[in-house]
Amino acid sequence: MSKQDQYKRAAAEAAFEYVVEDEYLGVGTGSTVNHFIDVLAEKRPRLKGCVSSSEATTAQLKKAGFQVETLNFAGDLPVYVDGADEVNPRLELIKGGGGAMTREKIIASVSERFICMVDPSKQVDVLGAFPLPVEVIEMGRSAVARAMVRLGGSPELRQGFSSDNDNPVLDVYGLDLTDPKAMETRINAIPGVVTVGLFAARPADVLVLADNSGARTITR
Ligand code: 5RP
């Protein structure tokens, strides 16, 4: 297992401690979450079911024998576990490297505790080295891209990709994200934007950070 995978596995094991039995569990998307699903499969907690943030996660959860329910059925969740592309000291995030930020953001918004698993490569002082993913409605793709340029960014269409909601994603480079909440509000207001991958209005509650010395948690 690579060092990176060891960190992800260690973060996933530590995140497992936050799972609440006899409830629905929100499950995010990505390679770190894949380790978390492996841990779930090994430890087999007693769950009412899982709420999944992507088709890929749904497939992996089902393969491991977990029941996947719709969020409409499950309602509010005690815990949501996911990864991130970047995290700052206020536990504000960039997400959407895997293009699943729309469902991820909906699940995070109704979860009491958002547990975010990262390795040290994701930690930054100021968000924005990672290009900001923005899911858009196809007909508004160019209009949103021009709006991004007006905000100081350089948008690039993610090639050969469409989200689980069948929408394109723009990856926006070079935005000034020193005030992530303000930027999230501004981007949300652009017609044609489905979801921006800034999680500042609803940041993580607990960061599970794994490195050479094991996993530790940082709480907001
Ligand atoms: C998917 C996400 C992921 O959480 C993010 O891309 C991190 O993925 P990984 O664990 O593979 O580094 O936001 O939309």
Side-chain angles (χ1 to χ4, degrees), residues 132 134 144 148 151 172 175 177 182-191 193 195-198:
L132 183 64
V134 183
V144 174
M148 291 299 155
L151 287 176
V172 187
L175 284 171
L177 299 181
M183 187 58 91
E184 186 176 5
T185 303
R186 288 175 84 174
I187 296 176
N188 279 338
I190 299 167
V193 168
T195 303
V196 57
L198 268 175

Side-chain angles (χ1 to χ4, degrees), residues 24 51 67 69-76:
Y24 290 101
V51 175
Q67 194 172 326
E69 278 298 347
T70 65
L71 184 64
N72 291 325
F73 183 83
D76 291 351

Side-chain angles (χ1 to χ4, degrees), residues 8 29-33 82-85 95-101 104 122:
K8 289 176 184 181
T29 298
S31 57
T32 315
V33 166
D82 200 353
D85 299 299
K95 290 185 49 54
M101 61 280 196
E104 291 172 342
K122 310 286 183 69

